[in-house]
Amino acid sequence: MMKNVLILGATGSVGKNTLDVITRHPDRFRVAGVTAGRRIDDLISICHRHRPDFAVIGPTVDFSAAKSALRAASPRTELLAGEEGLVAAATAPNVDAVMAAIVGSAGLRPTLAAARAGKKVLLANKESLVMSGGLFMQAIAQAGTTLLPIDSEHNAIFQCLPAADGRLSKGVKRILLTGSGGPFRTRSLASLARVTPAEACKHPIWSMGPKISVDSATMMNKALEIIEAHWIFNAGPEQIEVVVHPESVVHSMVEYQDGSVLAQLGNPDMRTPIAHALAYPDRIDAGVAQLDLARIGQLNFEPPDPVRFPALRLAYEVLKASDAAAVTFNAANEIAVQAFLEERLSFVDIVGIVEATLQASQDVTIATV
Ligand code: NAD
Ligand code: MG
């Protein structure tokens, strides 16, 4: 049966990889809607190619200029704008699955709205889960729908877990979350203060958007993923361990009580988890090159360095604190990363600012978004 997919953040790295997989399977998937914050030319050409029912643009974009460009490119596509437009698209009756690939907290409202409307949620936007984990998982359960993780580690864990519902069950001991260690794993600590945004965005393995690239360099990305794993799999902090694995071939592992450890391997290419989630429970071609282990030759693993990567300790502290701590953690990081990208903050101060903000914030219980 044809699946109608809305891509939130269609012009980004995950969004474009999603379009690539969808284009390979016109018999299975239809692009029902696409959204972009600012890169409107990109969005218009995506609309020209895929003729979606609607397109949503950010509130700062000139609406009437975008509308006339869209009319020429894809006359059948309706134009919506801002957060209201995103929520309308995420809850539209003709949408079956929502690829949540907006970066940062801007993705929260439409993604949560999609869950509440019972859409299948393909979740790349980890920040929305970090901010609203309890409410989000409750919304998924109440609507009787499914969340399929796109983050390569969580997708790997999902694939290695026994139960169809993808939650940690009896017999599972731990989750081993792998992380490449980013571009500065072996660089001298003293030189980190001089890191430029361009260097931080140049990941040795993955090609990703600027925010997650900086997060990978500080390992704040792995810290957010610890919290993400906690919510998706219902795992306690003591059940989640991070292992540094520079080759990024083992995408994560699940350890069982009997000593078995199941791993999911693959080339580091986001099209694999995207194709897995899009077609689940079927398996489809993702256009990914075959994994050649003999050529790779060697896979390395090491514990994360707590001095170089203090963000990981903070994630465990956040899990032991209140829900509000996770919101503060995510918000402080988003603002600090933006300041670093605009060269207003040094690389080494990113995590320091997050920690100081956490210490200065108050514990409150979050009951609604
Ligand atoms: P990106 O920067 O390449 O793309 C972000 C998308 O979000 C763009 O389409 C942009 O227009 C849109 N956007 C940004 N701000 C917006 C706003 N305020 N309102 C509406 N739309 C907005 O980011 P990405 O690398 O594709 O990452 C997207 C999400 O997926 C992030 O949460 C990231 O952590 C997660 N993720 C990415 C990868 C990857 O390989 N890139 C892997 C795992 C998880
Ligand atoms: Mg990841």
Side-chain angles (χ1 to χ4, degrees):
M1 212 173 70
M2 188 66 91
K3 209 177 264 175
N4 296 293
V5 185
L6 166 70
I7 307 173
L8 298 171
T11 54
S13 164
V14 172
K16 288 198 162 152
N17 279 311
T18 305
L19 287 166
D20 182 282
V21 175
I22 286 181
T23 307
R24 291 167 194 276
H25 302 279
D27 52 323
R28 280 180 178 265
F29 310 113
R30 192 180 74 86
V31 179
V34 289
T35 86
R38 267 181 291 212
R39 280 163 46 189
I40 297 314
D41 293 352
D42 251 19
L43 191 74
I44 302 287
S45 60
I46 290 169
C47 289
H48 181 64
R49 223 171 313 131
H50 295 277
R51 311 289 162 133
D53 303 329
F54 33 73
V56 190
I57 56 174
T60 57
V61 177
D62 180 342
F63 190 84
S64 54
K67 193 161 182 168
S68 53
L70 185 62
R71 199 174 301 130
S74 174
R76 68 177 306 279
T77 305
E78 187 188 344
L79 187 66
L80 308 168
E83 200 167 63
E84 256 175 56
L86 292 174
V87 170
T91 55
N94 57 339
V95 167
D96 304 312
V98 174
M99 169 59 74
I102 289 177
V103 61
S105 48
L108 174 61
R109 278 195 190 276
T111 307
L112 191 56
R116 286 180 174 151
K119 309 298 182 192
K120 193 167 271 190
V121 178
L122 318 184
L123 187 85
N125 178 215
K126 65 194 84 185
E127 296 91 344
S128 63
L129 197 67
V130 168
M131 291 168 72
S132 72
L135 294 175
F136 195 90
M137 296 312 291
Q138 195 186 351
I140 293 279
Q142 275 174 0
T145 186
T146 10
L147 182 159
L148 290 158
I150 295 297
D151 216 345
S152 55
E153 297 77 3
H154 305 73
N155 185 271
I157 294 160
F158 184 89
Q159 293 194 48
C160 295
L161 281 173
D165 71 355
R167 309 273 280 177
L168 243 64
S169 54
K170 240 175 130 204
V172 174
K173 200 169 170 190
R174 285 188 309 164
I175 283 171
L176 301 166
L177 204 59
T178 54
S180 71
F184 308 133
R185 184 177 57 91
T186 54
R187 188 157 153 167
S188 84
L189 283 177
S191 72
L192 289 183
R194 296 189 302 275
V195 160
T196 64
E199 287 173 302
C201 287
K202 205 162 167 269
H203 196 278
I205 305 277
W206 297 94
S207 158
M208 310 178 286
K211 195 253 175 188
I212 183 174
S213 297
V214 175
D215 285 347
S216 297
T218 56
M219 277 195 97
M220 190 53 106
N221 182 50
K222 210 51 54 186
L224 296 172
E225 289 182 358
I226 290 171
I227 301 171
E228 183 185 10
H230 162 73
W231 288 116
I232 296 182
F233 304 114
N234 194 27
E238 70 295 342
Q239 291 178 292
I240 308 168
E241 186 174 318
V242 173
V243 184
V244 172
H245 167 45
E247 293 83 5
S248 293
V249 166
V250 173
H251 296 304
S252 276
M253 297 170 264
V254 173
E255 182 181 331
Y256 286 81
Q257 299 286 358
D258 62 7
S260 295
V261 177
L262 300 194
Q264 187 260 354
L265 282 72
N267 280 323
D269 187 323
M270 285 305 291
R271 291 177 298 177
T272 294
I274 290 168
H276 171 266
L278 275 173
Y280 183 81
D282 293 351
R283 297 277 182 171
I284 56 169
D285 172 41
V288 175
Q290 202 165 307
L291 180 65
D292 186 349
L293 283 174
R295 190 187 55 77
I296 295 167
Q298 200 174 318
L299 297 178
N300 292 282
F301 300 92
E302 63 192 39
D305 175 349
V307 176
R308 185 178 293 268
F309 300 120
L312 299 179
R313 169 179 52 82
L314 296 183
Y316 289 106
E317 286 173 14
V318 164
L319 280 185
K320 287 177 191 142
S322 68
D323 296 352
V327 178
T328 307
F329 186 62
N330 183 67
N333 181 56
E334 265 185 55
I335 292 166
V337 169
Q338 193 56 35
F340 166 69
L341 288 171
E342 291 167 7
E343 301 189 55
R344 293 185 282 113
L345 185 73
S346 121
F347 178 77
V348 285
D349 287 336
I350 297 174
V351 178
I353 283 200
V354 173
E355 178 158 25
T357 313
L358 270 177
Q359 280 166 357
S361 66
Q362 286 182 349
D363 261 10
V364 288
T365 304
I366 297 172
T368 183
V369 169

